[in-house]
């Protein structure tokens, strides 16, 4: 005879106090989902498609990265013969564009004559790399106007004056961090701008004055 008392919640199975339905759940086997061949093929196709898409994207991006390296001084390390380019541009310019002699360690990464755009201001420009691996650009024109000059100075603000070899320059600072020096001679408007320190600007400025005074 059972010892269960009326109202008792004890299970009659082996003294286990849980309901019989819970005991049955414990004994049910775990079912592992199995994909049909069609489902497995579809899943594999999705993965392969994702891999192909990633590879295609990488193939498009990699050439761009290789063609557009980080813009450092070494990226532009070339050695242009400024004197030769100046001589070639002289007939077009109507004057001998500046090609100053600079100390050892200075190089040029470009020298070109710009015929001017809608503003009608043609100009000569040369890019220099200093021995400290900083950059200074020289711009020269005999046809400057206030609009062109303002655009070339890139909204830089006047911060002082600087005299280099008896030639007075206006010193400006820009929000980009570049320094600017600009001056007017009897014939030309000259602009120097770049990341170099002012001592290196002085070296280039002195070479420019010497070139201006040469026969």
């Amino acid at each position: 005879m059972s010892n269960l008392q009326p109202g008792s919640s004890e299970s009659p199975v082996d003294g286990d106090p849980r309901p019989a339905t819970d005991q049955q759940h414990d004994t049910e086997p775990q079912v592992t989902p199995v994909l049909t061949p069609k489902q497995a093929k579809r899943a594999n196709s999705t993965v392969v498609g994702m891999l192909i898409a990633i590879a295609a994207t990488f193939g498009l991006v990699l050439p761009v990265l290789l063609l557009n390296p980080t813009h450092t001084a070494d990226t532009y390390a070339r050695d242009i013969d400024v004197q030769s380019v100046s001589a070639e541009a002289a007939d077009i310019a109507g004057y001998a564009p500046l090609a100053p002699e600079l100390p050892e360690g200075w190089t040029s990464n470009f020298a070109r004559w710009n015929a001017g755009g809608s503003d009608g201001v043609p100009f000569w420009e040369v890019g220099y790399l200093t021995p400290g691996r900083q950059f200074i650009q020289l711009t020269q024109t005999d046809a400057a106007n206030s609009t062109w000059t303002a655009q070339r100075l890139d909204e830089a603000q006047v911060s002082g004056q600087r005299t280099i070899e008896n030639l007075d320059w206006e010193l400006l600072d820009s929000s980009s961090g570049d320094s600017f020096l600009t001056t007017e001679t009897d014939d030309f408007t000259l602009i120097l701008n770049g990341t170099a320190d002012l001592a290196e600007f002085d070296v280039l400025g002195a070479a420019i004055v010497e070139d201006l005074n040469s026969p």
Side-chain angles (χ1 to χ4, degrees):
M1 179 181 292
S2 173
N3 293 328
L4 292 174
Q5 300 298 320
S8 171
S9 60
E10 184 179 353
S11 171
V13 181
D14 298 328
D16 191 334
R18 295 176 299 164
T21 54
D22 287 348
Q23 297 176 40
Q24 293 173 356
H25 289 164
D26 288 345
T27 60
E28 290 179 356
Q30 296 294 323
V31 177
T32 302
V34 177
L35 296 178
T36 66
K38 287 185 177 180
Q39 289 173 329
K41 183 177 181 180
R42 189 159 49 245
N44 288 336
S45 297
T46 301
V47 173
V48 171
M50 290 177 61
L51 294 175
I52 292 174
I54 292 171
T57 301
F58 187 73
L60 292 173
V61 172
L62 183 60
V64 175
L65 294 176
L66 293 176
L67 291 173
N68 294 277
T70 303
H71 292 176
T72 64
D74 289 333
T75 302
Y76 300 110
R78 303 171 64 191
D79 194 5
I80 301 299
D81 186 344
V82 179
Q83 284 77 19
S84 294
V85 181
S86 172
E88 293 172 0
D91 289 340
I92 301 172
Y95 58 86
L98 287 169
E101 292 283 349
L102 289 160
E104 184 177 353
W106 287 73
T107 59
S108 174
N109 56 7
F110 67 84
R112 58 193 174 221
W113 175 254
N114 189 311
S118 58
D119 55 19
V121 180
F123 58 92
W124 167 250
E125 57 184 351
V126 185
Y128 290 101
L129 295 178
T130 74
R133 309 308 293 165
Q134 297 300 312
F135 176 77
I136 305 177
Q137 178 171 313
L138 159 65
T139 305
Q140 175 189 17
T141 184
D142 64 350
N145 56 50
S146 58
T147 300
W148 178 87
T149 301
Q151 290 175 342
R152 298 299 297 183
L153 294 177
D154 194 26
E155 300 182 353
Q157 301 299 309
V158 177
S159 60
Q161 299 286 326
R162 197 167 186 85
T163 300
I164 306 173
E165 295 294 326
N166 298 319
L167 182 60
D168 294 328
W169 300 72
E170 194 169 56
L171 174 64
L172 305 94
D173 294 322
S174 73
S175 58
S176 67
D178 278 11
S179 296
F180 285 77
L181 288 176
T182 182
T183 190
E184 300 282 345
T185 70
D186 292 339
D187 300 311
F188 304 112
T189 296
L190 304 177
I191 299 173
L192 303 179
N193 67 279
T195 58
D197 58 40
L198 291 179
E200 290 178 314
F201 274 84
D202 288 348
V203 173
L204 179 55
I208 287 171
V209 171
E210 183 177 352
D211 196 6
L212 287 171
N213 293 331
S214 64

